[in-house]
Amino acid sequence: MALDIKGMQKTDILNYEPYTTATLFLSRCNFSCPFCHNPDLIKNHKDIPTMPEEEVFKVLDERKQWYDGVCLTGGEPTLHAELPDFLKKLKERDLLVKLDTNGTNPEMLKIIIEEKLVDYLAMDIKAPFEKYDEVTKVKTDISKIKKSVELIKNSGLDYEFRTTVIPHFHSEEDLLKIAEQCKGAKRFVLQQFRNDVPMLDKDFGQREKYLDEELVEFSEKLKEFFDEVKVKNI
């Protein structure tokens, strides 16, 4: 079967800096985070036409002189058994590959790492491990989250862990707990919450966000835990 691709951003200069990429959006997620910015990929994915792989590769091949790589996001890409075969086709074209993941499928991550099918991994850390269910709105197997964290840290690849910071879910104490649980990682990113886009829970459009300066202050307090701490979307 072909990979269930629901959309393609043909030019993306922000997702995998400093590279120019195409970004592919895959269907389905096993989390129901209320602040998810791709709600249709979660609740209406069956109603969205699947983009044929042939169409994707036609775009990539026609524009190959402009592309450094491809980003795969979702949804949750690692839910798709077809993912490794698709990544092989990208690597055959000498494209860099960045993969976004929630870390719930370490078995799939292990495959694509060992087979050298990915160049950059970005894993979302939703909350301190003990608060995951509150944020994801599902029962989360934290042992798999922990396994993915360690797998990525020891992968030899470039990577980041990242948390979208929302006052409703994350206090300064929570961020310090996350830092302790992921300490020693190469890169940690604090992402500013955007409440001006469609979300899985429409009520989250009314939620407050931290001031940009507050996120910067948080980042300073986390620097002792990581090689690099960044703040995005401010």
Side-chain angles (χ1 to χ4, degrees):
M1 292 180 64
L3 194 62
D4 196 14
I5 301 167
K6 295 300 188 181
M8 181 180 193
Q9 183 176 341
K10 293 181 180 179
T11 303
D12 191 337
I13 60 173
L14 299 177
N15 204 338
Y16 189 8
E17 295 177 328
Y19 303 113
T20 299
T21 69
T23 294
L24 304 178
F25 297 87
L26 308 190
S27 70
R28 295 187 288 123
C29 188
N30 48 353
F31 284 166
S32 294
C33 306
F35 53 91
C36 176
H37 286 177
N38 292 319
D40 286 342
L41 295 176
I42 313 305
K43 60 183 180 180
N44 299 320
H45 63 89
K46 292 182 180 179
D47 299 327
I48 303 173
T50 295
M51 188 175 183
E53 285 189 8
E54 295 78 12
E55 184 178 337
V56 172
F57 288 117
K58 183 174 185 290
V59 172
L60 294 177
D61 292 341
E62 288 178 348
R63 301 182 175 207
K64 61 183 178 181
Q65 70 269 32
W66 306 112
Y67 288 132
D68 300 303
V70 174
C71 300
L72 291 98
T73 189
E76 173 49 40
T78 65
L79 295 179
H80 299 266
E82 304 83 6
L83 182 63
D85 286 341
F86 184 84
L87 296 182
K88 288 175 185 176
K89 295 173 186 176
L90 295 179
K91 298 312 291 182
E92 287 169 0
R93 289 167 166 78
D94 294 321
L95 289 163
L96 296 170
V97 173
K98 180 195 174 198
L99 182 76
D100 294 341
T101 182
N102 63 18
T104 54
N105 193 347
E107 296 81 11
M108 176 64 79
L109 288 177
K110 188 172 187 291
I111 290 169
I112 64 176
I113 290 170
E114 290 182 347
E115 296 189 10
K116 301 185 184 335
L117 300 177
V118 65
D119 301 280
Y120 194 103
L121 288 163
M123 177 176 165
D124 290 306
I125 304 295
K126 300 296 184 179
F129 295 150
E130 60 272 19
K131 291 182 64 175
Y132 249 70
D133 294 0
E134 179 184 340
V135 177
T136 65
K137 304 304 179 185
V138 299
K139 181 64 178 174
T140 307
D141 186 344
I142 292 300
S143 69
K144 292 192 172 186
I145 302 296
K146 293 178 179 179
K147 187 173 182 180
S148 291
V149 168
E150 293 306 312
L151 192 62
I152 291 171
K153 283 168 65 174
N154 295 300
S155 66
L157 298 171
D158 205 1
Y159 67 88
E160 68 186 50
F161 297 113
R162 60 194 187 186
T163 297
T164 300
V165 187
I166 307 171
H168 180 75
F169 288 130
H170 306 106
S171 65
E172 180 179 322
E173 181 183 1
D174 289 325
L175 296 176
L176 289 169
K177 284 183 180 179
I178 291 172
E180 180 64 34
Q181 290 164 347
C182 299
K183 66 181 177 182
K186 179 184 297 186
R187 184 176 299 109
F188 187 75
V189 178
L190 296 174
Q191 296 187 144
Q192 176 62 285
F193 168 55
R194 290 188 59 194
N195 55 9
D196 60 346
V197 296
M199 285 177 277
L200 195 59
D201 184 341
K202 295 179 181 178
D203 289 342
F204 268 69
Q206 309 301 318
R207 300 289 183 185
E208 293 184 0
K209 61 182 182 179
Y210 283 112
L211 298 175
D212 292 349
E213 309 90 83
E214 291 178 295
L215 287 190
V216 173
E217 290 177 7
F218 291 153
S219 73
E220 291 296 323
K221 295 178 181 180
L222 302 185
K223 286 185 175 179
E224 65 179 284
F225 297 93
F226 306 106
D227 293 346
E228 180 184 5
V229 178
K230 300 177 70 175
V231 180
K232 288 187 178 180
N233 301 336
I234 64 172

